[in-house]
Amino acid sequence: MKKSILTIVATLLASASLSAAEWKSGIEWVEPPVVDPGPETAPANVPSDAIVLFGGENMDAWNNGENWPVKDGVVYSGKGMVTSKQAFGSVQLHVEFATPSEVKGEGQGRGNSGVFWGPYEVQVLDSYINKTYFDGQCGSFYKQNPPAVNCCRKPGEWQTYDIIYMRPVFNEKGEVVRPMYVTVFQNGILVQNHLQVKGTGHWHMPPKYDAHAEKMPIGLQDHGNPVRFRNIWVREISDSPVQPVKEDSPVKPADVFGSQE
Ligand code: MG
């Protein structure tokens, strides 16, 4: 009896130390080649159907926004993560960011933030001559896929993310019926192309889906670095890439082209 309790304790201790360790996929990625995206540009136009989450004046659209300082039309990553008060399903998201012009730290400690839909992170990092693990550099889908290329501008220069988050679909049992897909353009250059997401990135375990609501907030990460943001807007988009068809249309797209998810 005593022995079996000891065995249980030993097993618990082993699993506790396992869960405290960082999970690494072990995949040896090829280093993303460097591409010069050209000079920084003026803020992008805001489409007429977009919902502006940060237009330069205040962080009223965000939970915890009061802890992120706004100055001269720009918001600085502050204390704690901010999440949009409004939740969204599948979206097109535009974010402009600049990592600190004063270069401090290295690897994951330099200009780290992140753009989230729900629990899923597209990494923000100063990856301009700053090597880290490739599936954790700027433009990566954190710990799942490196960016196709490293197209970071210099520290302090404005950069853009245009992200399409196609939400995952869960059934009533919480099982994944359709996984999430993510497409990301950084500075107008494709870095994630319709990536099939394997789940939430956990620091200590492989990615895994945990069922959640259809609509989730947009989030910006506080990683202790004063990354700046401006001009943040979203457009809610359809869950289907196929356009709506008139109810009385005699032929449906699936009749001609087959079904498309
Ligand atoms: Mg991050």
Side-chain angles (χ1 to χ4, degrees):
M1 186 67 188
K2 199 177 173 188
K3 194 179 177 186
S4 68
I5 288 170
L6 280 176
T7 310
I8 291 165
V9 169
T11 310
L12 284 174
L13 282 174
S15 64
S17 63
L18 267 180
S19 67
E22 181 182 5
W23 174 81
K24 291 178 179 171
S25 72
I27 300 167
E28 293 187 17
W29 302 102
V30 170
E31 182 168 3
V34 172
V35 170
D36 181 356
E40 62 182 352
T41 56
N45 291 322
V46 181
S48 62
D49 65 347
I51 297 162
V52 175
L53 294 178
F54 178 68
E57 286 174 3
N58 60 62
M59 286 290 280
D60 291 356
W62 301 81
N63 295 309
N64 192 42
E66 64 277 13
N67 287 316
W68 281 41
V70 176
K71 208 177 145 194
D72 302 328
V74 166
V75 64
Y76 290 74
S77 176
K79 200 169 182 337
M81 185 162 184
V82 287
T83 52
S84 62
K85 289 176 181 170
Q86 189 173 345
F88 304 95
S90 298
V91 286
Q92 174 186 350
L93 171 66
H94 178 86
V95 175
E96 300 182 15
F97 66 94
T99 61
S101 44
E102 188 190 344
V103 172
K104 267 189 190 169
E106 58 186 329
Q108 293 289 309
R110 185 186 296 180
N112 195 333
S113 182
V115 177
F116 286 73
W117 179 87
Y120 311 97
E121 181 184 12
V122 173
Q123 174 72 303
V124 169
L125 194 73
D126 176 0
S127 290
Y128 186 87
I129 316 178
N130 176 37
K131 204 161 168 176
T132 183
Y133 44 95
F134 303 135
D135 54 6
Q137 73 180 56
C138 200
S140 67
F141 193 81
Y142 190 66
K143 281 212 164 174
Q144 283 185 50
N145 203 40
V149 294
N150 179 347
C151 54
C152 285
R153 293 203 173 101
K154 290 177 183 163
E157 293 186 351
W158 284 104
Q159 309 195 53
T160 61
Y161 265 155
D162 289 283
I163 304 174
I164 300 163
Y165 291 103
M166 288 292 278
R167 72 176 182 92
V169 178
F170 301 96
N171 64 16
E172 282 172 4
K173 289 185 211 157
E175 298 158 340
V176 182
V177 176
R178 189 188 68 192
M180 180 178 182
Y181 290 92
V182 172
T183 296
V184 183
F185 290 86
Q186 182 184 356
N187 301 323
I189 296 166
L190 184 66
V191 291
Q192 298 290 342
N193 182 7
H194 196 59
L195 176 72
Q196 188 186 106
V197 172
K198 302 300 179 192
T200 305
H202 294 282
W203 188 78
H204 62 290
M205 58 190 274
K208 165 178 164 295
Y209 276 110
D210 296 307
H212 55 67
E214 289 183 12
K215 296 190 175 214
M216 298 295 281
I218 304 297
L220 300 173
Q221 188 185 44
D222 162 26
H223 208 285
N225 304 138
V227 174
R228 292 176 293 154
F229 292 92
R230 72 178 184 191
N231 196 22
I232 304 174
W233 48 260
V234 291
R235 296 179 60 247
E236 286 202 280
I237 58 175
S238 167
D239 277 337
S240 169
V242 178
Q243 290 303 295
V245 175
K246 287 182 181 173
E247 244 171 56
D248 58 354
S249 168
V251 181
K252 309 289 186 196
D255 301 333
V256 184
F257 306 113
S259 69
Q260 191 185 339
E261 269 298 308

